[in-house]
């Protein structure tokens, strides 16, 4: 029988679906991958088919899986009639809640991402997550605002996640309060930048300003005075 084209993807999903229950005990290790593979009813060697480079393949695949869960949950949510800031805040909250409630799996993941060599992956994951949230919120910007909005949301995601993993308040109320404040700050900055941009467009350019100044000084210079003599 021919092997299905998506067999490796299905294999990887089966392992990832069970991996996070082992992260609190074994961290991001080969032991976690092997135990998750066994939990899925697969032979131990199957993990190397799913993730030939072991943790090097499994970690980015796990992060991508959470982005897919985020996109699916936001697509199923009723966002009609919600303010943009509420859609974005909901996106951040849903993203955090794709992780197990005890948060230890996320703590272990953050510790792994903090190791040298993972900085690019950590930033890329936050950027891609911000893009998922903004698109779900209806953002269609293709100019500089596209990058500004996502860059600001990257900061919100990173700081809110840090608060969330250490939050022991009932219902994580401390985290959600922090998130509301950070979202408010982040959304004010693009509006301020737009206002400054409109003001700047109304002002003369530096070249035009200097040209007018030189013309005015030339007109005020007494007849016969050398051009390089101060007025």
């Amino acid at each position: 029988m021919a092997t299905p084209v998506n067999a490796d993807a299905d294999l990887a999903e089966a392992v990832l679906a069970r991996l996070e229950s082992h992260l609190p005990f074994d961290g991001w290790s080969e032991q976690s991958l092997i135990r998750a593979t066994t939990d899925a009813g697969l032979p131990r060697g199957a993990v190397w088919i799913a993730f030939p480079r072991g943790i090097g393949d499994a970690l980015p695949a796990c992060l991508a899986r959470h982005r897919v869960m985020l996109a699916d949950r936001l697509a199923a949510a009723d966002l009609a009639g919600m303010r943009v800031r509420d859609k974005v805040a909901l996106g951040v909250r849903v993203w955090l809640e794709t992780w197990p409630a005890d948060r230890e799996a996320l703590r272990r993941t953050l510790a792994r991402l903090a190791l040298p060599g993972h900085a690019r992956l950590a930033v890329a994951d936050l950027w891609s997550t911000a893009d998922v949230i903004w698109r779900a919120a209806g953002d269609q910007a293709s100019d500089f605002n596209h990058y500004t909005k996502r860059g600001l949301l990257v900061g919100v995601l990173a700081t809110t996640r840090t608060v969330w993993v250490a939050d022991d308040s009932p219902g994580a109320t401390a985290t959600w309060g922090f998130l509301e404040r950070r979202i408010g700050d982040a959304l004010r900055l693009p509006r301020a930048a737009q206002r400054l941009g409109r003001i700047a467009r109304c002002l003369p350019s530096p070249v035009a300003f200097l040209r007018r100044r030189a013309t005015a000084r030339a007109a005020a210079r007494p007849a016969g005075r050398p051009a390089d003599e101060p007025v």
Side-chain angles (χ1 to χ4, degrees), residues 193-205:
Q194 289 174 358
R195 287 196 294 270
L196 289 175
R198 288 194 294 269
I199 293 172
R201 286 193 292 271
C202 295
L203 296 174
S205 69

Side-chain angles (χ1 to χ4, degrees), residues 81-157:
M82 293 177 63
R83 297 181 302 172
V84 171
R85 64 173 293 156
D86 294 334
K87 294 178 183 178
V88 173
L90 176 64
V92 177
R93 181 165 181 163
V94 168
W95 173 62
L96 293 174
E97 291 178 343
T98 61
W99 290 88
D102 64 8
R103 306 173 203 172
E104 188 57 34
L106 180 55
R107 291 189 186 96
R108 291 294 191 120
T109 302
L110 293 180
R112 186 78 185 189
L113 289 172
L115 293 176
H118 289 311
R120 180 176 296 181
L121 173 62
V123 173
D125 174 56
L126 289 172
W127 182 273
S128 297
T129 301
D131 186 58
V132 170
I133 293 173
W134 271 116
R135 289 182 184 278
D139 178 61
Q140 301 293 329
S142 58
D143 56 5
F144 187 72
N145 282 333
H146 173 92
Y147 302 98
T148 301
K149 290 176 178 178
R150 282 149 185 79
L152 290 170
L153 186 52
V154 162
V156 174
L157 290 167

